[in-house]
Every structure is written in structure tokens, then in C-alpha cells.
Amino acid sequence: MGEQQELAAVAYAMGARAGFANLLAGHAVVACLLRRKNLGDTLISWSITRLPGTVFCDHVGDPAVLGRDLVHEAGHNWLNDALTAAACKISDETRFYSPWRKTKRPVFGFLHACWAFPLTMIYTARILPDTDGPTHDFLAAYLEQQRGLLVTTTEDHTRALALITNSTLRQRLRAVHDEALTL
């Protein structure tokens, strides 16, 4: 097994131990590791609807950090599938401020951020006790930063959720956002 395959395998295992096995198995089936960067550099990860279950990630060679990004992108893929399955049509006319992008975003993008970042917060809180050294410090700082950003979305998140017509999906999005706020 190559170095990147081993890294991904351990990252998936960490995600599974943190409670995200089903999310990763269903929505991050293929991981394409892009550029190797240094811890603390900006890491870019993304997914696209044309390649469901595929995620693209920069990485730092640390499975705990890669696991976070796999959970994030799998979350985007899951939400795309859930919105389609629930036949939710979301108008892009209404916009909410996204602290992650520092701009107003359409409901679709705002809800994606308010779903994927809380998932990474939950993952990070669960694996943090199993990390040490620079990785621990990096992830602890990440979790603290995300707490500050997420709390600013509380009122808008409630308003955005009112636009989701499927009550089961709406409750799931609310529950994850609420759990992350307690971390």
C-alpha cells in the first residue's frame, strides 16, 4: 500500500471511530489527495455533484486532519443527496451571511456551510483526545475558531431551516447544528 493510500485508510478509520462510518462509506467513497501542505497552511477540499461520493483534498500527511476534511466533503455530498431525495427546491434569492466566506450566500450555500462545518466540529471534538503535539494544538485551535464562527449563524440558521420543506431533513440539520453549538 502506498503512503497516500495508508494515510487515507487511517483517516477513514479515524472517521469511523468518531461515528462517521456510514457518512464516509456512502458519501466519500473516492478520495483524491491533491497537494501535500504544511500543518497550518490553508487546505482546500471540494466535491462536485457530477462525481457523487468523490472528494478532493489537500492534506498535511496527518490522518486526523485528513479525516476532518473527508467528513466535511462527505457532508456536502450527503446534503446534496438528501435535498434531492426530499425534493427540496431552495430559492437562491434569499441570502444569509456566511462567516466562513465573509459574504452573503444563497440559502443553499449557507445551509451547506452550516451542515458541513458542524460535522467537522463534532468529528474534531471526538478525536481530539486521541491526538497530541502539533496535530492536537492545530485541531484544538480549529475547534475553537469554528465555535466562534458557528455561533454567529444561529438566528439565520433558524430562518434558513424554515425554507426546508421536508421536516425530517430540517430536524436533522437543526440537530447537528445544535450539537456543534454545545461543544
Side-chain angles (χ1 to χ4, degrees):
M1 185 181 296
E3 180 182 331
Q4 289 187 336
Q5 290 172 311
E6 171 112 7
L7 171 65
V10 175
Y12 277 102
M14 291 184 82
R17 282 195 311 272
F20 294 95
N22 290 339
L23 177 69
L24 292 171
H27 301 282
V29 179
V30 176
C32 301
L33 301 185
L34 303 172
R35 294 165 296 275
R36 182 168 182 145
K37 295 188 172 183
N38 295 314
L39 194 62
D41 288 349
T42 299
L43 300 175
I44 298 172
S45 64
W46 49 280
S47 56
I48 56 175
T49 56
R50 288 173 297 193
L51 293 172
T54 303
V55 300
F56 301 85
C57 300
D58 287 345
H59 68 94
V60 297
D62 188 296
V65 177
L66 179 58
R68 176 200 67 175
D69 296 340
L70 293 173
V71 166
H72 181 95
E73 294 307 328
H76 285 306
N77 285 334
W78 180 92
L79 185 53
N80 286 333
D81 290 349
L83 289 166
T84 299
C88 285
K89 303 288 185 211
I90 302 173
S91 167
D92 61 356
E93 291 179 22
T94 305
R95 295 179 176 267
F96 296 103
Y97 181 77
S98 170
W100 297 279
R101 295 237 178 134
K102 297 180 179 151
T103 188
K104 286 195 169 203
R105 298 193 67 203
V107 175
F108 179 82
F110 177 78
L111 285 175
H112 261 278
C114 288
W115 168 252
F117 283 109
L119 288 174
T120 64
M121 292 172 66
I122 294 165
Y123 164 85
T124 300
R126 290 178 182 172
I127 63 114
L128 199 55
D130 299 328
T131 63
D132 58 16
T135 298
H136 180 86
D137 296 343
F138 174 80
L139 290 173
Y142 172 80
L143 186 56
E144 187 61 29
Q145 175 194 44
Q146 293 307 307
R147 283 182 186 121
L149 296 172
L150 188 65
V151 75
T152 67
T153 67
T154 303
E155 288 179 30
D156 283 345
H157 188 252
T158 298
R159 287 194 285 277
L161 286 179
L163 302 173
I164 299 294
T165 55
N166 182 284
S167 64
T168 303
L169 178 56
R170 186 172 52 247
Q171 290 168 1
R172 180 110 184 242
L173 296 175
R174 180 179 292 119
V176 166
H177 190 270
D178 289 350
E179 181 179 344
L181 286 171
T182 68
L183 299 174

